[in-house]
Amino acid sequence: MPAVRPSTVVRATRALQQSQSTSTTPVRHFSATPRAPSSHGPQYDPPTGWLFGVKPGEKYQKEGWETPFIYGFCGSLVIAAVAYGFKPDTSIQTWALEEARRRLEAEGILEDPEKK
């Protein structure tokens, strides 16, 4: 037995032909549809040959956002480095070493280093 009955295929084909012939909107395929422009101007700046667009002999003028960005970025890096340096050690290896030392001292196998 076929997966799709021939009568169903014939009815579906006729329905599609009728809907296309009575439709007022044209059928547009994805591959033939041109892309709509969505920009407000050209995106390409032709090369000028100057580094960062500044000609030799001209002084670079900073924009208003550059100074706060540099201080904020560098300051946050310094704060993060200091915070990382003072971060408590929460690794399982450190805890296990301290726990083993505490238990050995409690049993008398290892003497307490603070008693000396």
Side-chain angles (χ1 to χ4, degrees):
M1 181 169 171
V4 178
R5 289 184 280 172
S7 62
T8 306
V9 173
V10 171
R11 273 190 265 135
T13 306
R14 285 183 189 155
L16 284 173
Q17 288 173 351
Q18 288 176 355
S19 68
Q20 287 179 355
S21 65
T22 59
S23 173
T24 58
T25 58
V27 176
R28 294 173 58 181
H29 300 285
F30 290 112
S31 61
T33 303
R35 186 170 179 196
S38 60
S39 66
H40 298 287
Q43 296 292 326
Y44 177 71
D45 291 331
T48 61
W50 310 113
L51 182 63
F52 304 119
V54 178
K55 295 178 183 175
E58 290 184 5
K59 185 178 179 188
Y60 176 72
Q61 294 178 351
K62 283 189 173 183
E63 295 182 13
W65 59 268
E66 292 179 10
T67 303
F69 177 79
I70 290 171
Y71 284 115
F73 185 76
C74 294
S76 65
L77 285 178
V78 168
I79 290 171
V82 169
Y84 184 73
F86 287 101
K87 181 183 79 137
D89 188 9
T90 58
S91 67
I92 190 71
Q93 289 87 4
T94 305
W95 173 83
L97 180 65
E98 293 296 325
E99 183 67 16
R101 181 177 290 128
R102 187 187 61 77
R103 289 182 184 185
L104 288 174
E105 288 171 357
E107 292 178 9
I109 298 174
L110 186 67
E111 59 184 57
D112 191 7
E114 295 178 4
K115 289 183 180 178
K116 290 185 176 180

